[in-house]
Every structure is written in structure tokens, then in C-alpha cells.
Amino acid sequence: MSECTHVAELPRPEPVPRGMTCPECLVLGSHPVQLRMCLGCGYVACCDSSPHRHATTHHQETGHPMMRSFEPGETWRWCFVDGSIV
């Protein structure tokens, strides 16, 4: 894993999750495959393996650079800007 410049900019402590599942998938009646949480604001959304890719859409709309897995037992983080696990 590498350190990107965005890691230092993350809020400490990390934000509280704003939900327990992807709200946009709920509205659409879609099933999120894997969940991710934005490390800028705590928004929980589905990953790119889900049909609607709401975590990536959240990044594109807000510019928030990093997210982490919101799956039990997973702790990895992803930087959208650098395209890498950090």
C-alpha cells in the first residue's frame, strides 16, 4: 500500500457513516454488491461491481478523493484520484 497526498487531508477521526446501505440503491430497488464509505463525509454507497456504481458517482459529484470498504472485516482504503489502494 502506498501513501498518497490525500491521506494527510482526511478528517480525523474518520466521519460517522451516514447510513448502513446505499440509499440510492434503496430508492431504485437495486441490490448493492459491496458497500464503500466516503472518508470525506461518511456517505455510504455501492461499489463499481454494483450495477449503478454510486460510490464512484459520489466521488465525481463531490470531489471527495477517498473511500474505504464498508464491508465487515475489511479495512482497505481507495483513492479515486490516484487510482490506488492506500
Side-chain angles (χ1 to χ4, degrees):
M1 290 187 231
S2 64
E3 286 291 317
C4 72
T5 59
H6 304 99
V7 171
E9 299 168 6
L10 292 175
R12 307 267 196 256
E14 78 176 31
V16 174
R18 291 174 27 192
M20 295 307 293
T21 192
C22 180
E24 295 174 76
C25 282
L26 282 177
V27 169
L28 294 171
S30 181
H31 178 72
V33 175
Q34 298 283 316
L35 295 172
R36 310 295 181 235
M37 185 182 83
C38 175
L39 291 172
C41 70
Y43 187 75
V44 175
C46 62
C47 76
D48 285 358
S49 295
S50 292
H52 302 286
R53 303 175 53 177
H54 290 124
T56 295
T57 300
H58 176 75
H59 159 68
Q60 292 167 340
E61 291 175 351
T62 65
H64 297 164
M66 294 187 63
M67 63 87 178
R68 72 165 173 86
S69 175
F70 197 60
E71 294 298 314
E74 294 184 4
T75 59
W76 58 270
R77 301 177 295 181
W78 175 261
C79 179
F80 287 103
V81 176
D82 294 325
S84 63
I85 292 176
V86 294

